[in-house]
Amino acid sequence: MKFQNTLSFARELDAQDALAPYRNEFYFPKVKGSEVIYFTGNSLGLQPKRTQAYVDEIMKDWRELAVEGHFYADKPWWDYHERLAEPLAKVVGAKPAEISVMNTLTVNLHLLMVSFYRPTKKRYKILCEEKAFPSDQYMFQSQIKFHKLDISDTLIEIKKREGENFWRTEDVLAKINEVGDELALVLIGGVNYYNGQVFDMKTITRAAKKAGAFVGWDLAHAVGNIELQLHDWDVDFAAWCSYKYMNSGPGNASGIYIHERYLNRRDIPRFEGWWGTKKETRFLMQPQFDPMETADAWQISCAPVLAIAPFLASLEMFEEVGMQALIKKRNLIVSYLEFVLEEIDKEVDSSFEIITPEDRGTQLSVFLHGEGRPLFDYLMENGVITDWREPNVIRLAPAPFYCSYEDMYRFGQILKKGILKK
Ligand SMILES: *Cc1c(COP(=O)(O)O)cnc(C)c1O
């Protein structure tokens, strides 16, 4: 398709977009009376209009049934979270039994490390990407300290090459082979939050398992964004938050995946609580832990139903649309955004450098050479919600659920004005 940087062409793409009606399923903030161009679905997804009803339902049941809501609500609370397993399994390419929804992301990664990071004298090293998301870095450091190991000896970071902005799969594989039988765990962000790179999870997982390590993925920026086949890729475990591309609200519940080979295994250590016991006998309040046969065995506390309700609302939309349709639109809208950027670049005396490699999802990270923070401020003041990362990068993630091609065109025009105004 030959793109054009015109309003009419953008509108033509919108007219052909099967997902276009979903834009109206979301609330858009307004700036100066107009709906914003929202590029931060990679940070906090917009609120779906239907979410309110899911929350209201819980509030009503609580109001009218009180404690009886655990068993007699239309969607009883005691197993409310189980409703999420099936639709979520489709989003990440897993079996429903391999999925649970609980806690928040970093908490879950810690809990999964309890099970899957069990250093021995010989095999104790952890491999991650350099400059991992800060929370992940703190998690690694504190886990290593907890095991009384030395951080600089234990945590191995995969570097980008000098002068390059992305990681090469061959360098990841070389590092895995180099660390070899000292490698206990590979845990990487499946889609990097900074440059938007999609890691070759299938290949890296295979290599790490061959080296005898456990493999987990932090899927915060991957879930609802790219195609995932966690089970078929033989991934050991993964976790993700639900408030980015999954649109389930600030700080909301996290999802976990644990490969079915680890279910019903008494030899795997785990921090346990009453929501991980078999629900049939849970309320007999017996002293011995009788684990659920699914990933729910990792649940500790009773489920935060009010927080999970928006996640269920959002998953209903993923069910309706399916990842394939989202990915199809994603590819087109991101390519169109890239085209618009290149066209504007030709028109102004500035230079953008897209640092996101070809293996990408929804996000383009753009280096604004010669521009500074004032341009970012101009964008925000004019209704373009994006985010700024030092030294001079804006991240643009046009979520296919609710962003339009017209948004991309209008963004280009605002960007041009902001640069020419200097
Ligand atoms: C967003 C994000 C997190 C956030 O963790 P929380 O525990 O939900 O605050 C963690 N890791 C990565 C890679 C992220 O992108």
Side-chain angles (χ1 to χ4, degrees):
M1 185 184 303
K2 196 153 167 25
F3 290 142
Q4 296 168 27
N5 188 25
T6 62
L7 182 58
S8 59
F9 183 82
R11 286 188 171 157
E12 187 54 38
L13 287 177
D14 282 322
Q16 292 164 14
D17 174 15
L19 294 188
Y22 273 88
R23 183 182 176 84
N24 194 36
E25 291 265 350
F26 291 86
Y27 290 111
F28 282 75
K30 288 188 174 164
V31 167
K32 296 179 186 163
S34 301
E35 287 186 350
V36 299
I37 299 168
Y38 197 71
F39 279 123
T40 43
N42 57 349
S43 183
L44 181 69
L46 292 180
Q47 182 181 138
K49 291 180 181 169
R50 67 180 76 181
T51 300
Q52 181 80 51
Y54 281 71
V55 175
D56 285 349
E57 181 183 26
I58 311 288
M59 295 298 283
K60 176 172 176 290
D61 288 337
W62 176 23
R63 189 163 64 235
E64 294 177 0
L65 300 171
V67 74
E68 297 282 77
H70 279 298
F71 298 108
Y72 300 111
D74 276 349
K75 300 189 188 94
W77 305 332
W78 77 312
D79 59 1
Y80 191 96
H81 56 283
E82 291 182 10
R83 295 164 186 273
L84 285 77
E86 217 170 297
L88 199 44
K90 285 189 207 157
V91 174
V92 300
K95 300 185 177 183
E98 295 173 322
I99 299 292
S100 188
V101 172
M102 59 192 211
N103 311 311
T104 43
L105 173 55
T106 311
V107 171
N108 282 341
L109 287 172
H110 272 298
L111 292 174
L112 290 164
M113 283 184 78
V114 167
S115 295
F116 298 105
Y117 178 57
R118 309 194 307 260
T120 63
K121 262 217 142 39
K122 180 155 177 64
R123 197 183 273 283
Y124 62 96
K125 293 189 177 174
I126 300 173
L127 199 64
C128 68
E129 74 278 35
E130 71 172 331
K131 298 205 176 111
F133 191 83
S135 197
D136 296 35
Q137 294 188 47
Y138 310 146
M139 169 186 73
F140 289 132
Q141 291 165 14
S142 58
Q143 283 273 342
I144 291 167
K145 278 192 274 183
F146 174 76
H147 287 287
K148 299 195 169 55
L149 295 167
D150 176 51
I151 294 171
S152 63
D153 176 42
T154 304
L155 191 59
I156 314 285
E157 296 188 345
I158 305 151
K159 308 261 184 252
K160 303 187 204 85
R161 290 190 189 179
E162 193 66 36
E164 292 188 344
N165 293 311
F166 61 95
W167 289 267
R168 289 171 180 252
T169 304
E170 69 232 56
D171 293 350
V172 180
L173 301 183
K175 201 51 138 182
I176 288 171
N177 288 333
E178 182 191 317
V179 184
D181 57 10
E182 291 179 346
L183 186 60
L185 175 66
V186 175
L187 180 45
I188 299 174
V191 175
N192 182 257
Y193 80 99
Y194 187 82
N195 71 354
Q197 174 175 0
V198 178
F199 280 84
D200 183 345
M201 290 184 244
K202 182 178 176 184
T203 304
I204 294 168
T205 298
R206 194 189 308 133
K209 301 205 60 94
K210 208 166 148 219
F214 283 113
V215 188
W217 293 95
D218 177 340
L219 300 178
H221 279 260
V223 68
N225 174 13
I226 62 166
E227 181 175 1
L228 295 165
Q229 291 296 341
L230 298 181
H231 180 86
D232 288 348
W233 294 342
D234 206 28
V235 170
D236 291 318
F237 69 93
W240 53 91
C241 50
S242 63
Y243 48 79
K244 294 175 179 171
Y245 295 109
M246 298 302 294
N247 311 319
S248 95
N252 219 341
S254 156
I256 64 162
Y257 153 91
I258 296 169
H259 192 283
E260 67 181 348
R261 78 172 78 84
Y262 304 115
L263 306 178
N264 298 309
R265 284 261 304 267
R266 305 271 168 150
D267 57 323
I268 293 179
R270 172 172 63 204
F271 287 166
E272 294 171 339
W274 72 322
W275 237 245
T277 57
K278 285 229 170 69
K279 61 180 177 180
E280 293 75 20
T281 51
R282 186 176 299 154
F283 296 95
L284 299 179
M285 304 297 193
Q286 292 163 335
Q288 72 277 22
F289 186 79
D290 186 14
M292 295 280 291
E293 287 171 357
T294 66
D296 285 340
W298 272 258
Q299 291 236 351
I300 296 178
S301 295
C302 62
V305 178
L306 269 170
I308 293 177
F311 198 175
L312 184 59
S314 149
L315 280 168
E316 187 186 283
M317 298 174 73
F318 278 86
E319 276 283 277
E320 286 166 15
V321 169
M323 281 309 297
Q324 289 311 319
L326 284 165
I327 288 167
K328 189 167 163 240
K329 175 168 176 190
R330 179 204 76 194
N331 288 338
L332 192 58
I333 199 167
V334 174
S335 298
Y336 188 57
L337 171 61
E338 182 176 40
F339 168 80
V340 168
L341 281 166
E342 284 163 2
E343 290 299 297
I344 301 299
D345 200 4
K346 286 183 212 155
E347 293 174 26
V348 298
D349 185 25
S350 195
S351 135
F352 312 140
E353 181 191 357
I354 296 176
I355 60 169
T356 304
E358 271 172 32
D359 296 324
R360 69 191 186 191
T362 307
Q363 175 181 325
L364 290 183
S365 302
V366 188
F367 225 119
L368 300 171
H369 295 295
E371 300 296 334
R373 182 93 200 177
L375 175 61
F376 170 75
D377 294 337
Y378 178 86
L379 292 174
M380 294 292 280
E381 282 160 19
N382 288 279
V384 178
I385 310 295
T386 169
D387 76 6
W388 173 269
R389 286 288 180 271
E390 292 296 335
N392 202 0
V393 167
I394 55 170
R395 301 187 304 166
L396 305 169
F401 243 130
Y402 46 73
C403 288
S404 69
Y405 296 91
E406 182 174 333
D407 286 343
M408 303 305 109
Y409 170 78
R410 282 176 47 223
F411 161 67
Q413 297 304 305
I414 296 169
L415 181 67
K416 185 162 91 179
K417 251 198 205 152
I419 292 171
L420 292 180
K421 165 181 147 306
K422 267 192 316 194

Coordinates of all heavy atoms in Angstrom, one line a residue, residues 17-23 26 87 90-92 222-227 245-247 314-335 360-363 398-403 405:
D17 N -11.2 0.3 8.3 CA -10.7 -0.4 9.6 C -11.8 -1.1 10.3 O -12.7 -0.5 10.8 CB -10.0 0.7 10.5 CG -9.6 0.2 11.8 OD1 -9.5 -1.1 12.0 OD2 -9.4 1.0 12.7
A18 N -11.7 -2.4 10.3 CA -12.7 -3.2 11.0 C -12.8 -2.9 12.5 O -13.8 -3.2 13.1 CB -12.4 -4.7 10.8
L19 N -11.7 -2.5 13.1 CA -11.7 -2.2 14.5 C -12.2 -0.8 14.9 O -12.3 -0.4 16.0 CB -10.3 -2.4 15.1 CG -9.8 -3.8 15.1 CD1 -8.5 -3.9 15.9 CD2 -10.8 -4.8 15.7
A20 N -12.4 0.0 13.8 CA -12.7 1.5 14.1 C -13.9 1.7 15.1 O -13.8 2.6 15.9 CB -13.1 2.1 12.8
P21 N -14.9 0.8 15.1 CA -16.0 1.0 16.0 C -15.6 0.9 17.5 O -16.2 1.5 18.4 CB -17.0 -0.1 15.7 CG -16.7 -0.5 14.3 CD -15.2 -0.3 14.1
Y22 N -14.5 0.2 17.7 CA -14.0 0.1 19.1 C -13.5 1.4 19.7 O -13.4 1.5 21.0 CB -13.0 -1.1 19.2 CG -13.7 -2.4 19.4 CD1 -14.1 -3.1 18.3 CD2 -14.0 -2.8 20.7 CE1 -14.8 -4.3 18.5 CE2 -14.7 -4.0 20.9 CZ -15.1 -4.7 19.8 OH -15.8 -5.9 19.9
R23 N -13.1 2.3 18.9 CA -12.7 3.6 19.4 C -13.7 4.2 20.4 O -13.4 4.7 21.4 CB -12.4 4.5 18.3 CG -11.9 5.9 18.7 CD -11.7 6.8 17.4 NE -11.3 8.1 17.7 CZ -10.0 8.5 18.0 NH1 -9.0 7.6 17.9 NH2 -9.7 9.7 18.2
F26 N -14.2 3.4 24.3 CA -13.2 3.9 25.3 C -13.5 5.4 25.6 O -13.9 6.1 24.7 CB -11.8 3.7 24.8 CG -11.3 2.3 24.7 CD1 -11.5 1.6 23.5 CD2 -10.6 1.7 25.7 CE1 -11.1 0.2 23.4 CE2 -10.2 0.4 25.6 CZ -10.4 -0.3 24.5
P87 N -10.0 -16.6 28.7 CA -9.7 -15.5 27.8 C -8.3 -15.1 27.8 O -7.6 -14.8 26.8 CB -10.7 -14.4 28.1 CG -11.2 -14.7 29.5 CD -11.1 -16.2 29.6
K90 N -5.9 -17.3 25.9 CA -5.9 -17.1 24.5 C -4.9 -15.9 24.1 O -4.3 -16.0 23.1 CB -7.3 -16.8 23.9 CG -8.1 -18.0 23.9 CD -9.4 -17.7 23.2 CE -10.6 -18.6 23.7 NZ -11.9 -18.0 23.5
V91 N -4.9 -14.9 25.0 CA -4.1 -13.7 24.7 C -2.6 -14.1 24.7 O -1.8 -13.6 23.9 CB -4.4 -12.6 25.7 CG1 -3.5 -11.4 25.5 CG2 -5.9 -12.1 25.4
V92 N -2.2 -15.0 25.6 CA -0.8 -15.3 25.8 C -0.4 -16.6 25.2 O 0.8 -17.0 25.3 CB -0.3 -15.2 27.3 CG1 -0.6 -13.8 27.8 CG2 -1.0 -16.3 28.1
A222 N 4.4 -6.8 26.4 CA 4.1 -7.7 25.4 C 2.6 -8.2 25.3 O 2.1 -8.3 24.3 CB 5.0 -8.9 25.6
V223 N 2.0 -8.3 26.5 CA 0.7 -8.9 26.5 C -0.3 -7.9 25.9 O -0.3 -6.7 26.2 CB 0.3 -9.2 28.0 CG1 0.2 -8.0 28.9 CG2 -0.9 -10.1 28.0
G224 N -1.2 -8.4 25.0 CA -2.1 -7.5 24.4 C -1.5 -6.7 23.2 O -2.1 -5.9 22.6
N225 N -0.2 -7.0 23.0 CA 0.5 -6.2 22.0 C 1.0 -7.1 20.9 O 0.9 -6.7 19.7 CB 1.7 -5.5 22.7 CG 2.6 -4.7 21.8 OD1 2.4 -4.5 20.6 ND2 3.8 -4.3 22.3
I226 N 1.6 -8.2 21.2 CA 2.2 -9.0 20.2 C 1.7 -10.5 20.3 O 1.1 -10.8 21.4 CB 3.8 -9.1 20.3 CG1 4.2 -9.7 21.7 CG2 4.4 -7.7 20.2 CD1 5.6 -10.1 21.8
E227 N 2.0 -11.3 19.3 CA 1.5 -12.7 19.4 C 2.4 -13.4 20.4 O 3.7 -13.3 20.3 CB 1.6 -13.3 18.1 CG 1.1 -14.8 18.2 CD 1.0 -15.5 16.9 OE1 1.4 -15.0 15.8 OE2 0.6 -16.7 17.0
Y245 N -1.3 -2.4 27.8 CA -2.2 -2.7 26.6 C -3.5 -3.4 27.0 O -4.4 -3.6 26.2 CB -1.4 -3.5 25.6 CG -0.3 -2.7 25.0 CD1 1.0 -3.1 25.3 CD2 -0.5 -1.7 24.1 CE1 2.1 -2.4 24.7 CE2 0.6 -1.0 23.6 CZ 1.9 -1.3 23.9 OH 2.9 -0.7 23.3
M246 N -3.5 -3.9 28.2 CA -4.7 -4.7 28.6 C -5.9 -3.8 29.2 O -6.9 -4.3 29.5 CB -4.4 -5.8 29.6 CG -3.5 -6.9 29.1 SD -4.0 -7.7 27.6 CE -5.5 -8.6 28.3
N247 N -5.6 -2.5 29.3 CA -6.7 -1.6 29.6 C -7.5 -1.9 30.9 O -8.7 -1.7 30.9 CB -7.6 -1.5 28.4 CG -6.9 -1.2 27.1 OD1 -6.0 -0.5 27.1 ND2 -7.4 -1.9 26.1
S314 N -12.2 -6.0 30.3 CA -11.3 -5.8 29.2 C -11.0 -7.1 28.4 O -11.0 -7.1 27.2 CB -9.9 -5.2 29.8 OG -8.9 -5.7 29.1
L315 N -11.0 -8.2 29.2 CA -10.8 -9.4 28.5 C -11.9 -9.8 27.6 O -11.8 -10.5 26.5 CB -10.5 -10.6 29.5 CG -9.1 -10.6 30.0 CD1 -8.9 -11.5 31.2 CD2 -8.1 -11.0 28.9
E316 N -13.1 -9.4 28.0 CA -14.3 -9.6 27.1 C -14.1 -8.9 25.8 O -14.4 -9.5 24.7 CB -15.5 -9.0 27.8 CG -16.8 -9.4 27.1 CD -18.0 -8.7 27.8 OE1 -18.4 -9.1 28.8 OE2 -18.4 -7.6 27.2
M317 N -13.5 -7.8 25.8 CA -13.2 -7.1 24.5 C -12.1 -7.8 23.7 O -12.2 -7.9 22.5 CB -12.8 -5.7 24.8 CG -13.9 -4.9 25.4 SD -13.4 -3.2 26.0 CE -13.3 -2.4 24.4
F318 N -11.1 -8.4 24.4 CA -10.1 -9.1 23.6 C -10.7 -10.4 23.1 O -10.3 -10.8 22.0 CB -8.9 -9.5 24.6 CG -7.9 -8.4 24.7 CD1 -8.1 -7.4 25.6 CD2 -6.8 -8.3 23.9 CE1 -7.2 -6.3 25.7 CE2 -5.9 -7.2 24.0 CZ -6.1 -6.2 24.9
E319 N -11.7 -11.0 23.8 CA -12.4 -12.1 23.3 C -13.1 -11.8 22.0 O -13.1 -12.5 21.0 CB -13.4 -12.6 24.3 CG -12.9 -13.5 25.4 CD -12.7 -14.9 24.9 OE1 -13.7 -15.7 24.8 OE2 -11.5 -15.3 24.5
E320 N -13.8 -10.7 22.0 CA -14.6 -10.3 20.8 C -13.7 -10.0 19.6 O -14.1 -10.4 18.5 CB -15.4 -8.9 21.1 CG -16.5 -9.1 22.1 CD -17.0 -7.8 22.6 OE1 -16.6 -6.7 22.0 OE2 -17.8 -7.8 23.6
V321 N -12.6 -9.4 19.8 CA -11.8 -8.9 18.7 C -10.7 -9.9 18.3 O -10.5 -10.2 17.1 CB -11.1 -7.6 19.1 CG1 -10.1 -7.2 18.1 CG2 -12.2 -6.5 19.2
G322 N -10.1 -10.5 19.3 CA -9.0 -11.5 19.0 C -7.7 -10.8 18.7 O -7.6 -9.7 18.2
M323 N -6.6 -11.5 19.1 CA -5.3 -10.9 19.0 C -4.9 -10.7 17.5 O -4.2 -9.8 17.1 CB -4.2 -11.8 19.7 CG -4.1 -11.6 21.2 SD -4.0 -9.9 21.7 CE -2.4 -9.4 21.0
Q324 N -5.4 -11.7 16.6 CA -5.0 -11.6 15.2 C -5.4 -10.3 14.6 O -4.7 -9.6 13.9 CB -5.6 -12.8 14.4 CG -4.9 -14.1 14.7 CD -3.4 -14.0 14.7 OE1 -2.8 -13.4 13.8 NE2 -2.7 -14.7 15.7
A325 N -6.7 -9.9 14.9 CA -7.2 -8.6 14.3 C -6.4 -7.4 14.9 O -6.2 -6.4 14.2 CB -8.7 -8.5 14.6
L326 N -6.1 -7.5 16.2 CA -5.4 -6.4 16.8 C -4.0 -6.2 16.2 O -3.5 -5.1 15.9 CB -5.3 -6.6 18.3 CG -6.5 -6.3 19.1 CD1 -6.5 -6.9 20.5 CD2 -6.8 -4.8 19.2
I327 N -3.4 -7.4 15.9 CA -2.0 -7.4 15.4 C -2.0 -6.9 14.0 O -1.1 -6.1 13.5 CB -1.4 -8.8 15.5 CG1 -1.1 -9.1 17.0 CG2 -0.1 -8.9 14.7 CD1 -0.8 -10.5 17.3
K328 N -3.1 -7.3 13.2 CA -3.2 -6.8 11.8 C -3.3 -5.3 11.8 O -2.5 -4.6 11.0 CB -4.4 -7.5 11.2 CG -4.5 -7.3 9.7 CD -5.6 -8.2 9.1 CE -5.9 -7.7 7.8 NZ -7.4 -7.4 7.6
K329 N -4.1 -4.7 12.6 CA -4.3 -3.3 12.6 C -3.0 -2.6 13.1 O -2.5 -1.6 12.6 CB -5.5 -2.8 13.4 CG -5.5 -1.3 13.5 CD -6.8 -0.7 14.1 CE -6.7 0.8 14.2 NZ -7.8 1.4 15.0
R330 N -2.4 -3.2 14.2 CA -1.2 -2.7 14.8 C -0.1 -2.5 13.7 O 0.5 -1.5 13.6 CB -0.7 -3.6 15.8 CG 0.6 -3.2 16.5 CD 1.3 -4.4 17.1 NE 2.0 -5.2 16.1 CZ 2.4 -6.4 16.3 NH1 2.3 -7.0 17.4 NH2 3.0 -7.0 15.3
N331 N 0.1 -3.5 12.9 CA 1.1 -3.5 11.9 C 0.9 -2.3 10.9 O 1.8 -1.6 10.6 CB 1.2 -4.8 11.1 CG 1.8 -5.9 11.9 OD1 2.5 -5.6 12.9 ND2 1.5 -7.1 11.6
L332 N -0.4 -2.1 10.5 CA -0.7 -1.1 9.6 C -0.5 0.3 10.2 O 0.0 1.2 9.6 CB -2.1 -1.3 9.0 CG -2.4 -0.4 7.8 CD1 -1.4 -0.7 6.6 CD2 -3.8 -0.7 7.3
I333 N -1.1 0.5 11.4 CA -1.1 1.8 12.0 C 0.4 2.2 12.4 O 0.7 3.4 12.3 CB -2.1 1.9 13.2 CG1 -2.4 3.4 13.4 CG2 -1.6 1.3 14.4 CD1 -3.6 3.6 14.3
V334 N 1.1 1.3 12.9 CA 2.5 1.6 13.2 C 3.3 2.0 11.9 O 4.1 2.9 11.9 CB 3.2 0.5 14.0 CG1 4.7 0.8 14.3 CG2 2.5 0.3 15.3
S335 N 3.1 1.3 10.9 CA 3.8 1.6 9.6 C 3.3 3.0 9.1 O 4.2 3.7 8.6 CB 3.4 0.6 8.5 OG 3.9 -0.7 8.9
R360 N 9.2 -5.4 16.2 CA 8.5 -4.4 17.0 C 7.1 -4.8 17.2 O 6.5 -5.6 16.4 CB 8.7 -3.0 16.4 CG 7.9 -2.9 15.1 CD 8.3 -1.6 14.4 NE 7.4 -1.4 13.2 CZ 7.6 -0.5 12.3 NH1 8.6 0.3 12.3 NH2 6.8 -0.4 11.2
G361 N 6.5 -4.1 18.1 CA 5.0 -4.3 18.3 C 4.4 -2.9 18.1 O 4.5 -2.4 17.0
T362 N 3.7 -2.4 19.1 CA 2.9 -1.2 18.9 C 3.7 0.1 19.1 O 3.3 1.1 18.7 CB 1.7 -1.2 19.9 OG1 1.0 -2.4 19.8 CG2 0.8 -0.1 19.7
Q363 N 4.9 -0.1 19.7 CA 5.6 1.2 20.1 C 6.7 1.5 19.2 O 7.5 0.7 18.8 CB 6.2 0.9 21.5 CG 7.1 2.0 22.0 CD 7.6 1.7 23.4 OE1 6.9 1.1 24.2 NE2 8.8 2.1 23.7
P398 N 0.6 3.7 19.4 CA -0.8 3.8 18.9 C -1.5 2.5 19.1 O -1.6 1.7 18.2 CB -0.6 4.2 17.5 CG 0.7 3.6 17.0 CD 1.5 3.5 18.2
A399 N -2.2 2.4 20.3 CA -2.9 1.1 20.6 C -4.0 0.9 19.5 O -4.8 1.7 19.3 CB -3.5 1.2 22.0
P400 N -3.9 -0.3 18.9 CA -4.9 -0.6 17.8 C -6.3 -0.6 18.2 O -7.2 -0.4 17.4 CB -4.4 -1.9 17.2 CG -3.6 -2.5 18.3 CD -3.0 -1.4 19.1
F401 N -6.6 -0.8 19.5 CA -8.0 -0.9 19.9 C -8.7 0.5 19.8 O -9.8 0.5 19.4 CB -8.0 -1.3 21.4 CG -8.7 -2.6 21.7 CD1 -8.1 -3.5 22.5 CD2 -10.0 -2.8 21.2 CE1 -8.8 -4.7 22.8 CE2 -10.6 -4.0 21.4 CZ -10.0 -5.0 22.2
Y402 N -7.9 1.6 20.0 CA -8.7 2.8 20.0 C -8.0 4.0 19.3 O -8.6 5.1 19.2 CB -8.9 3.3 21.5 CG -7.7 3.2 22.4 CD1 -6.7 4.0 22.4 CD2 -7.7 2.1 23.4 CE1 -5.6 3.9 23.3 CE2 -6.6 2.0 24.3 CZ -5.6 2.9 24.2 OH -4.5 2.8 25.1
C403 N -6.8 3.8 18.7 CA -6.2 4.9 18.0 C -6.6 4.8 16.5 O -6.8 3.7 16.0 CB -4.7 4.8 18.1 SG -4.1 5.3 19.7
Y405 N -6.2 6.2 12.3 CA -5.2 6.7 11.4 C -5.2 8.2 11.3 O -4.2 8.8 11.1 CB -5.5 6.0 10.0 CG -5.3 4.5 10.1 CD1 -6.4 3.7 10.4 CD2 -4.1 3.9 9.8 CE1 -6.2 2.3 10.4 CE2 -3.9 2.6 9.9 CZ -5.0 1.8 10.2 OH -4.8 0.4 10.3

